[in-house]
Amino acid sequence: MTFEQEWAELRSAAAQRSAMQINSAPAAGGGGAGAPDLVVNRDDLGAIGNDAYDLRTRLSKDGDHARPTTFAAAIALTNGNFTSGSAVLKVHDFWQKHLKTLLDSCAHISNHLDHTKAQHAKDDVKIGGDLAPISKLSEYMK
């Protein structure tokens, strides 16, 4: 099976599941009276965010071990009239640039997952509040 075929099957199955959820009502009265039906409770996302934070913390410490020594070596080589001094300094600068990019990426992942979970909780409260008046109207219309 090719990737495109598998992807088409997965999309079709997802569309059918969504259609069934949208076109059906809960058996126990529905509405805002029961437990919320839109819930983000994904512990694995929290674990990924935590791992990204831990990785950033370790990288900020361990990724900087060689910086002072590398810089000192580059200066010593340059002062000793060795042409490799400028190359070592380029390696130093290259490492620092990419380490900062990696640290920023880890922080972005961690912050994004925290924000997403908090935003979904706010959305759930807002949706529940928006649907409460509709549930009352539905009760009166029966």
Side-chain angles (χ1 to χ4, degrees), residues 9-109:
E9 284 181 16
L10 290 171
R11 288 180 56 191
S12 174
Q16 288 174 354
R17 283 193 309 271
S18 295
M20 287 188 281
Q21 290 173 355
I22 291 172
N23 293 331
S24 66
D37 57 357
L38 174 63
V39 177
V40 175
N41 189 10
R42 299 289 310 254
D43 292 337
D44 51 343
L45 293 179
I48 293 168
N50 189 45
D51 288 346
Y53 178 79
D54 290 344
L55 177 61
R56 186 193 182 287
T57 302
R58 286 192 344 254
L59 272 175
S60 66
K61 178 184 170 205
D62 296 340
D64 200 38
H65 278 311
R67 183 190 50 79
T69 308
T70 304
F71 187 73
I75 297 302
L77 287 169
T78 302
N79 289 342
N81 292 325
F82 287 96
T83 56
S84 60
S86 63
V88 172
L89 188 57
K90 284 182 184 178
V91 169
H92 168 272
D93 294 345
F94 184 81
W95 174 254
Q96 287 305 113
K97 176 184 171 188
H98 289 285
L99 177 62
K100 182 180 179 337
T101 301
L102 184 57
L103 290 171
D104 290 346
S105 296
C106 289
H108 181 74
I109 290 167

